[in-house]
Amino acid sequence: PVLETLYGKNVHQDVSSQMIQDGLSETLRKSKLKFVGCKNIDSPELEVSKPYLFDVEIDVKPEIDNINFNGLKLKRTTYSVTDEEVEAQLQMLRKNTAKKEPVGDTRPVKDGDLVIVNYKGFEDGKPFQEVGFSENFNVKVGASTISTDFDKGITGMSLNEEKEILVKFPEDHPNKKLANHEINFMVKIKDIIKEILPEINDDMAKNLGPFKNLNDLKNKIHQNLEEGYNKRREQELNEQIF
């Protein structure tokens, strides 16, 4: 009785689980159903010296009659890579390879800077839990990392300057815990970093990989975009067929 009290429940679960597995496998083997997967298993308590009965709902492959696909009409979309798309990819690569250089106290924060800040969030004079306290938080000015109000607030601030910034989060804000709240941010600027974008030329291309010149890089971008369009066309045709 002591062992049953301590271990009975776990043992019953192990035994019933094994019986379900064995029973289901045997049933499917005999029935020759085209089994896909289980949906619901009703596993009652195991009763000693009694048959164990359980219900299971399964998915099976549907019976599909022969399909006459002669004359099936498919629409194949023609996609072509444009110069604008290649240029957009070049600009993205340019941003990804930008060098970061600390500004220090030589000038205040301006649009496009990467700013390292410490901040605390308050609502009605009390700490706001959803915002909390953050140290060395990265903010790309103009990207609305926290909000547009926050970016506007830190623009013009100098290194080590502290300031209170009021941020009004809209009702449709993705974070429901911030939506429709007015939060006072106590902000301190820890560092100001400017991004130096490289010129789009042969040197940039060589730094990005085994490219001889800028034209070589453009050809590779064009090839990658074309391969993407080919996969898209294939997927669209498959979806129409299904």
Side-chain angles (χ1 to χ4, degrees):
V2 173
L3 292 175
E4 285 183 357
T5 301
L6 292 174
Y7 306 112
K9 187 175 181 179
N10 288 338
V11 171
H12 282 197
Q13 288 177 347
D14 291 342
V15 172
S16 60
S17 177
Q18 188 63 50
M19 292 178 74
I20 289 173
Q21 181 178 333
D22 294 343
L24 182 57
S25 298
E26 180 67 13
T27 301
L28 291 173
R29 185 183 65 79
K30 290 180 178 179
S31 67
K32 297 182 180 180
L33 290 170
K34 297 179 180 179
F35 174 71
V36 176
C38 292
K39 292 182 70 174
N40 297 303
I41 297 178
D42 176 26
S43 52
E45 291 290 332
L46 187 69
E47 295 184 63
V48 180
S49 302
K50 290 186 179 181
Y52 186 67
L53 303 176
F54 65 93
D55 293 323
V56 58
E57 184 178 354
I58 64 172
D59 284 328
V60 295
K61 293 181 180 180
E63 295 294 337
I64 300 178
D65 296 331
N66 291 331
I67 298 174
N68 180 15
F69 52 83
N70 291 325
L72 179 65
K73 294 183 179 180
L74 303 176
K75 181 180 179 181
R76 185 177 186 273
T77 306
T78 301
Y79 296 105
S80 58
V81 179
T82 65
D83 292 340
E84 288 77 14
E85 289 175 305
V86 174
E87 181 63 27
Q89 292 291 316
L90 283 173
Q91 292 295 340
M92 184 178 67
L93 290 171
R94 187 188 185 204
K95 289 181 179 179
N96 291 341
T97 55
K99 293 182 179 179
K100 295 178 173 59
E101 182 178 292
V103 172
D105 57 0
T106 59
R107 65 163 176 80
V109 175
K110 67 178 184 179
D111 188 46
D113 284 343
L114 177 65
V115 185
I116 315 300
V117 301
N118 291 353
Y119 69 74
K120 296 179 182 178
F122 297 87
E123 185 178 44
D124 298 328
K126 299 178 181 178
F128 189 67
Q129 186 175 1
E130 188 63 24
V131 173
F133 170 66
S134 184
E135 289 186 319
N136 299 322
F137 186 81
N138 292 351
V139 177
K140 178 68 180 292
V141 181
S144 298
T145 308
I146 294 177
S147 80
T148 304
D149 289 343
F150 192 94
D151 287 0
K152 290 179 179 178
I154 63 175
T155 300
M157 292 181 68
S158 301
L159 186 67
N160 295 320
E161 182 180 350
E162 297 184 40
K163 181 180 177 181
E164 181 177 336
I165 300 172
L166 177 63
V167 174
K168 298 179 179 180
F169 292 98
E171 293 182 5
D172 59 350
H173 193 274
N175 187 340
K176 300 302 180 185
K177 295 182 179 179
L178 291 176
N180 207 28
H181 283 274
E182 292 189 5
I183 308 300
N184 285 304
F185 284 83
M186 299 301 297
V187 182
K188 181 177 181 179
I189 304 297
K190 297 289 291 182
D191 204 357
I192 306 170
I193 301 169
K194 67 177 179 179
E195 289 186 336
I196 304 175
L197 297 174
E199 294 292 330
I200 299 179
N201 53 25
D202 292 343
D203 289 335
M204 188 188 88
K206 292 175 183 178
N207 290 331
L208 286 170
F211 304 109
K212 296 179 182 179
N213 49 46
L214 180 59
N215 193 55
D216 199 11
L217 173 59
K218 287 182 177 180
N219 290 336
K220 183 61 176 178
I221 292 173
H222 192 284
Q223 178 185 339
N224 290 340
L225 290 171
E226 187 61 48
E227 289 175 356
Y229 278 141
N230 289 337
K231 291 179 181 178
R232 182 174 175 180
R233 277 190 289 264
E234 186 74 16
Q235 182 180 354
E236 289 176 348
L237 288 172
N238 286 336
E239 289 174 354
Q240 292 178 60
I241 294 170
F242 288 140

